[in-house]
Amino acid sequence: MGPVPELDARAAACARRLREADAVLLASHIDADGLTSAAIASTGLARAGITHEVCFKKQLDDAEIADLAAREFGTVLFTDFGSGQLDAIAAHEDAGDFEPVIADHHQPAEATTESHLNPLLEGIDGASELSGAGATYVLARALAAADDGESESDNRDLAALAVVGAVGDMQAVDGKLVGANRAIVEEGAEAGVLKEGTDLALYGKQTRPLPKLLEYASEVRIPGITNDEQGAVSFLQDLPVELQASGDWRRWVDLSDEEKRTVASALLQRAITRGVPANKAERLVGTTYTLTREQPGTELRDASEFSTLLNATARYERADVGLAVCLGDREAAFDRARRLLANHRRNLSEGLETVKRAGVEREEYVQWFDAGEEIRETIVGIVAGMALGVDGVDPDRPILAFARKNDEETKVSSRGTGRLVGQGLDLSAVMGEASRAVGGDGGGHDIAAGATIPAGEEESFVAEADALVAEQLEG
Ligand code: C5P
Ligand code: C5P
Ligand code: ZN
């Protein structure tokens, strides 16, 4: 039995199809989840002795699927996308262009195919219980189980990458992976590649100098520390903890367990005394996922930092770099990824500044901003999600963001909250229907979705989306 029993039959069917293939074209999505999916699939195929090539796409549409068909591989494996375009894929299957195998977690289109592995088909939530990398991991485990002795591995070591994919897709609920994701965490722990722990829940524990870790932390705002360099430094200086080693600031990973406890409890106390509500301050401590085989003090050691590193490659047309890192390159590709990460961080922070400066427009149910060419279309969704936490933006209203794709097309990204989804919000349906109403297309998850629409249709799109959200939340 695999890690997610509900998916066993589908995983076995997909594995069988792949084993029968002469050569496989593996196509995946350009984000952290898509890259880790590709790395898991590629490793699983290689270990099973299946010849394959890997390629990445920003978005699957009819033209992209036709391109894949033209490459004349008998079998195409789609990871972290494919379900949303199942109708187009099934048409190619019927035409005899290729045999599709899909491991995905997006809302499926109206069509069926035999080798389709998607948590939503078995009542498992694709936005919080299993990611694309998780679905691909289930497939890789089935490939190993179907092994007739060619390879030694059971592919459990790939659980670490699956967790990086899930964390990269923001699947953690209140900081913790749940549902089918948990089974993967457990397999990773058994295989000795992963450790779940409780720790300070701030981004940058592996790599940031201590004052920067506190100053830049936006998860919970602490007056006098967040965005306050001097404040962060003097807070630390008041603690009985050595702050420097050989002239450099120490990082969180450099502290002993006792020192960590000292800093964490002082931080919590400071938050409370400065008026942060207790239930918010508690979020300073949370669940972390450590990749135990990676070097401490590198981005790769922490699932969250690893996933950001990957987004920094693939969303800038360097998926090859991120894939190489996932596959084990710790030299040239890793160096390159780190340089890309510095650029990505700068872009996110400038993007957020753009939103703060220009503000958002409020409709009755949704709010939106048009970034034009100020924010890359490949990261505008990440910025939209981050914007839900800033001043002047309603944290509890769906947000839509436009970015220019090219002269003819505009990219739309949308983000919601768990509470809104609980009330009926389904952004996947909103993006799909509103975009098709103006001549575009889209889809995704209930809590996060996207679309491409013809340039100039932004206003009509907002009106369509607002009406659809009204129906979902009031209906
Ligand atoms: O295409 P894919 O599924 O990999 O992309 C998921 C996107 O949805 C990510 O950008 C992720 O940040 C976003 N998301 C989110 N909150 C969730 C689930 C997903 O913002 N709870
Ligand atoms: O691009 P963005 O990060 O906003 O995408 C959010 C989610 O919507 C992702 O899961 C992505 O795969 C999906 N999406 C989609 N169709 C589009 C654009 C985005 O299914 N045209
Ligand atoms: Zn995904």
Side-chain angles (χ1 to χ4, degrees):
M1 229 173 33
V4 186
E6 298 92 320
L7 295 173
D8 275 349
R10 291 180 181 279
C14 291
R16 214 175 309 121
R17 174 68 57 85
L18 292 171
R19 286 190 161 274
E20 285 162 1
D22 290 325
V24 174
L25 179 58
L26 163 56
S28 196
H29 195 204
I30 55 138
D31 65 3
D33 193 29
L35 276 176
T36 47
S37 300
I40 291 167
S42 178
T43 306
L45 290 170
R47 285 176 180 170
I50 302 168
T51 310
H52 64 281
E53 268 182 46
V54 187
C55 66
F56 290 92
K57 301 277 177 203
K58 211 187 278 185
Q59 208 64 61
L60 261 194
D61 57 24
D62 294 352
E64 297 288 8
I65 299 168
D67 272 356
L68 296 173
R71 295 189 55 184
E72 298 191 345
F73 281 73
T75 303
V76 182
L77 169 59
F78 297 89
T79 59
D80 193 35
F81 57 23
S83 297
Q85 300 74 25
L86 194 54
D87 41 357
I89 291 171
H92 281 281
E93 180 179 19
D94 291 344
D97 295 342
F98 57 77
E99 300 267 10
V101 178
I102 302 172
D104 190 12
H105 66 134
H106 290 94
Q107 195 60 53
E110 293 287 332
T112 51
T113 189
E114 211 169 300
S115 313
H116 187 196
L117 176 56
N118 184 320
L120 292 159
L121 298 171
E122 303 298 339
I124 298 169
D125 185 6
S128 63
E129 297 183 322
L130 197 68
S131 69
T136 309
Y137 174 77
V138 172
L139 173 59
R141 295 276 289 117
L143 263 175
D147 202 318
D148 36 26
E150 292 139 63
S151 109
E152 300 278 297
S153 178
D154 62 6
N155 287 337
R156 277 179 202 240
D157 56 327
L158 302 175
L161 287 172
V163 164
V164 172
V167 169
D169 255 16
M170 314 275 275
Q171 295 215 325
V173 177
D174 293 331
K176 201 174 163 86
L177 292 174
V178 300
N181 278 322
R182 289 224 58 74
I184 299 178
V185 171
E186 276 156 28
E187 289 203 345
E190 282 161 22
V193 295
L194 205 61
K195 208 171 140 212
E196 186 181 69
T198 303
D199 200 347
L200 202 62
L202 302 184
Y203 180 89
K205 291 191 289 293
Q206 295 292 328
T207 54
R208 284 185 175 162
L210 277 171
K212 296 286 167 210
L213 175 74
L214 303 186
E215 176 192 345
Y216 292 151
S218 54
E219 291 88 345
V220 177
R221 288 154 158 270
I222 307 174
I225 292 183
T226 309
N227 294 328
D228 184 342
E229 184 179 2
Q230 204 40 56
V233 170
S234 61
F235 164 78
L236 287 164
Q237 280 168 342
D238 288 343
L239 303 176
V241 170
E242 201 58 59
L243 295 177
Q244 301 202 335
S246 12
D248 284 326
W249 286 103
R250 293 170 79 202
R251 299 161 301 182
W252 186 257
V253 277
D254 303 323
L255 303 184
S256 68
D257 286 349
E258 197 186 330
E259 288 171 319
K260 286 179 183 166
R261 276 194 293 275
T262 304
V263 179
S265 73
L267 198 62
L268 254 147
Q269 201 171 2
R270 166 66 77 93
I272 306 260
T273 55
R274 289 297 176 94
V276 177
N279 64 343
K280 251 195 156 176
E282 273 169 16
R283 282 190 225 152
L284 284 166
V285 174
T287 309
T288 54
Y289 298 93
T290 304
L291 278 72
T292 49
R293 291 207 182 148
E294 302 294 343
Q295 186 90 37
T298 65
E299 290 81 0
L300 310 176
R301 180 89 173 173
D302 177 84
S304 172
E305 292 196 53
F306 196 155
S307 72
T308 303
L309 183 83
L310 295 179
N311 276 325
T313 66
R315 292 182 189 259
Y316 298 82
E317 278 128 44
R318 292 309 306 267
D320 57 317
V321 173
L323 179 64
V325 171
C326 288
L327 293 175
D329 185 318
R330 296 293 174 265
E331 290 176 1
F334 185 35
D335 284 346
R336 187 81 229 297
R338 284 176 139 165
R339 273 179 280 136
L340 287 163
L341 177 60
N343 171 61
H344 179 50
R345 285 221 180 102
R346 197 165 48 240
N347 286 342
L348 289 181
S349 125
E350 285 174 9
L352 206 52
E353 283 308 317
T354 304
V355 181
K356 282 187 198 164
R357 199 175 50 239
V360 296
E361 307 287 333
R362 280 189 194 202
E363 306 299 324
E364 206 163 338
Y365 288 88
V366 302
Q367 55 191 340
W368 59 278
F369 64 90
D370 188 346
E373 291 187 5
E374 298 270 305
I375 302 177
R376 262 178 100 90
E377 51 124 341
T378 52
I379 63 164
V380 74
I382 301 179
V383 175
M386 291 165 68
L388 282 175
V390 309
D391 289 341
V393 178
D394 188 340
D396 211 28
R397 183 185 294 248
I399 187 163
L400 316 180
F402 297 104
R404 188 184 155 93
K405 210 166 167 157
N406 52 48
D407 284 347
E408 286 89 42
E409 292 172 315
T410 297
K411 165 73 193 289
V412 198
S413 278
S414 63
R415 296 292 185 271
T417 64
R419 204 182 73 85
L420 290 165
V421 168
Q423 292 174 351
L425 181 73
D426 179 0
L427 289 173
S428 169
V430 173
M431 289 291 111
E433 288 171 39
S435 65
R436 286 190 287 275
V438 301
D441 204 4
H445 310 288
D446 48 14
I447 198 164
T452 299
I453 60 170
E457 294 292 336
E458 294 80 3
E459 266 183 47
S460 333
F461 179 87
V462 168
E464 294 284 347
D466 202 48
L468 289 163
V469 172
E471 269 174 46
Q472 291 178 351
L473 296 182
E474 304 294 343

